[in-house]
């Protein structure tokens, strides 16, 4: 399974959601990396989230399946959820499983994309990360390997990053901006 088989409409929607939510400059070289749960939640809130789902986000925990069910149940009444595709829905469900309940006025915790950009570029180009299609176990193995174990993350953050990468990495090299390609697909 990969979200990067030819699905141009979905990809465009991802980029649109991302740009709409964050108003990042057009030349953002990382715009091709799909939005994580934090950005998806912000974008959904901007478009309108149902009161019921907002209450759940503020007060409930639950696993990924539980959150996916809550998102699906709220979809009809929440304009901000209508545009989410399967990958975005699952990315958001994983984010809420890792982080909810969320305090209403606190800043949202970082999502997998935020962590990849913050933590995975100091030794190698981000392309090494986002072009790999792997299982959750394989991602955790990499992050727990000797060359990665010193990266400052909690086990819960590594799991959240792995969940994001399972769904959103595996980006074909031809969708990577040229300046991030050179020597980038392998270490
Ligand atoms: C402290 C330096 C360092 C940081 C930070 C770092 N890496 Fe690496 N990474 C390496 C080195 C060294 C290699 C090549 C040797 C190896 O594979 O262990 C590598 C290789 C890789 C590979 C390809 C080889 C493999 O193990 O499959 C992946 C995927 C990867 N890193 C993912 C990540 C992710 C995800 C992050 C952010 C959480 C990250 N890296 C951050 C040092 C780093």
């Amino acid at each position: 399974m990969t979200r990067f088989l030819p699905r141009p409409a979905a990809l465009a929607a991802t980029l649109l959601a991302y740009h709409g939510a964050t108003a990042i400059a057009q030349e953002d070289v990382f715009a091709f990396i799909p939005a994580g749960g934090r950005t998806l939640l912000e974008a959904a809130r901007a478009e309108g989230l149902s009161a019921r789902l907002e209450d759940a986000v503020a007060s409930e925990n639950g696993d990924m399946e539980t959150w996916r069910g809550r998102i699906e149940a709220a979809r009809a009444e929440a304009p901000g959820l209508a545009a989410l595709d399967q990958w975005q829905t699952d990315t958001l469900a994983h984010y809420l499983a890792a982080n909810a309940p969320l305090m209403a006025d606190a800043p949202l915790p970082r999502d997998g994309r935020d962590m990849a950009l913050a933590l995975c570029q100091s030794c190698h180009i981000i392309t090494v990360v986002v072009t790999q299609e792997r299982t959750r176990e394989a991602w955790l193995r990499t992050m727990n390997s000797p060359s990665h174990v010193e990266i400052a993350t909690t086990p819960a953050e590594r799991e959240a990053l792995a969940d994001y990468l399972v769904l959103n990495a595996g980006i074909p090299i031809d969708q990577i901006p040229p300046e991030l390609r050179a020597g980038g697909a392998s270490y």
Side-chain angles (χ1 to χ4, degrees), residues 98-136:
N99 295 295
L102 290 166
M103 306 258 287
D105 294 326
L108 289 176
R110 57 188 181 174
D111 61 31
R113 185 183 191 280
D114 297 326
M115 283 190 270
L117 290 175
L119 302 171
C120 309
Q121 300 192 81
S122 53
C123 304
H124 48 65
I125 196 165
I126 195 72
T127 313
V128 173
V129 177
V130 298
T131 52
Q132 307 292 322
E133 187 170 359
R134 300 190 165 178
T135 63
R136 186 178 205 264

Side-chain angles (χ1 to χ4, degrees), residues 84-181:
L84 294 186
D85 68 20
Q86 179 203 328
W87 280 267
Q88 293 169 322
T89 301
D90 288 357
T91 299
L92 179 56
H94 275 298
Y95 178 77
L96 292 170
N99 295 295
L102 290 166
M103 306 258 287
D105 294 326
L108 289 176
R110 57 188 181 174
D111 61 31
R113 185 183 191 280
D114 297 326
M115 283 190 270
L117 290 175
L119 302 171
C120 309
Q121 300 192 81
S122 53
C123 304
H124 48 65
I125 196 165
I126 195 72
T127 313
V128 173
V129 177
V130 298
T131 52
Q132 307 292 322
E133 187 170 359
R134 300 190 165 178
T135 63
R136 186 178 205 264
E137 294 67 34
W139 280 115
L140 290 173
R141 233 181 353 260
T142 295
M143 286 186 255
N144 292 325
S145 71
S147 43
H148 294 87
V149 74
E150 285 180 20
I151 301 170
T153 44
T154 64
E157 285 176 321
R158 288 200 283 278
E159 289 183 19
L161 177 52
D163 286 330
Y164 169 82
L165 291 170
V166 167
L167 288 167
N168 294 291
I171 303 176
I173 194 72
D174 64 7
Q175 290 182 25
I176 307 283
E179 60 267 48
L180 290 176
R181 280 185 211 170

